[in-house]
Amino acid sequence: MNVDTAQIADIDLIQRILPHRYPFLLVDRVREIVPFKSAVGVKNVTVNEPHFQGHFPGVPIMPGVTIVEAMAQTAAVMVGVSADLADKNFLVYFMGIDSCKFRRKVGPGDVLELHVTATRGKPGAKVWKFEGKGLVAGELACECAFTAMMDLPSEAG
């Protein structure tokens, strides 16, 4: 994948970058990728997701931790596309979540937009910091800052 032309990551490219699969792959598309800087992820929320069975019966609400995880997956795709890491066993680990606030419920039928911006990190860096916002129909649902460690493939392998 040529970094200069990669403005969108469809589900096929996302799955070539992230190791996550159902039921924990929480981003359907990533667009507006500015290499190593920012991206917008899209999560189409459906009633078929397993967490809705118990969170909460009769009043399905997407758990806040899954919203933050979707932001982190968006950030990982942005870094993966930027560094051409498709098919290279790229892993990302949470190191911290700060200043997280939830402002609106997210439920079935919502389209959750995940706006992430790198606040620390550069090509080849292991530790990155991001700011993220989750929006539904332009309304703020969640905002937080998070830190992640990028386990980049070794050059020797």
Side-chain angles (χ1 to χ4, degrees):
M1 163 111 330
N2 183 337
V3 173
D4 295 330
T5 61
Q7 297 298 314
I8 294 175
D10 64 9
I11 193 63
D12 294 326
L13 181 55
I14 290 168
Q15 289 184 317
R16 291 176 54 213
I17 293 170
L18 297 179
H20 304 79
R21 296 295 181 266
Y22 178 84
F24 213 67
L25 180 58
L26 299 172
V27 62
D28 298 312
R29 184 177 197 79
V30 180
R31 64 175 199 261
E32 299 174 35
I33 299 168
V34 178
F36 299 107
K37 293 185 180 169
S38 65
V40 177
V42 176
K43 166 65 177 149
N44 295 301
V45 183
T46 71
V47 75
N48 297 323
E49 295 173 46
H51 48 257
F52 288 134
Q53 186 174 10
H55 196 270
F56 298 99
V59 184
I61 298 170
M62 186 173 181
V65 295
T66 58
I67 295 170
V68 176
E69 174 66 25
M71 281 185 215
Q73 289 181 18
T74 298
V77 169
M78 183 266 295
V79 172
V81 166
S82 301
D84 195 22
L85 296 174
D87 304 317
K88 295 186 179 166
N89 300 318
F90 174 55
L91 294 175
V92 181
Y93 305 100
F94 263 127
M95 294 177 69
I97 301 169
D98 300 307
S99 306
C100 193
K101 293 190 172 38
F102 300 97
R103 307 290 186 184
R104 167 197 203 286
K105 294 182 228 176
V106 177
D110 287 338
V111 176
L112 180 61
E113 283 192 356
L114 307 147
H115 296 253
V116 296
T117 302
T119 58
R120 177 181 159 205
K122 59 184 180 184
K126 278 195 162 283
V127 177
W128 288 69
K129 290 190 176 203
F130 301 92
E131 289 180 350
K133 291 183 180 181
L135 302 160
V136 174
E139 187 178 345
L140 185 63
C142 175
E143 59 187 333
C144 72
F146 55 96
T147 306
M149 181 179 71
M150 307 292 174
D151 189 4
L152 304 172
S154 73
E155 298 297 322

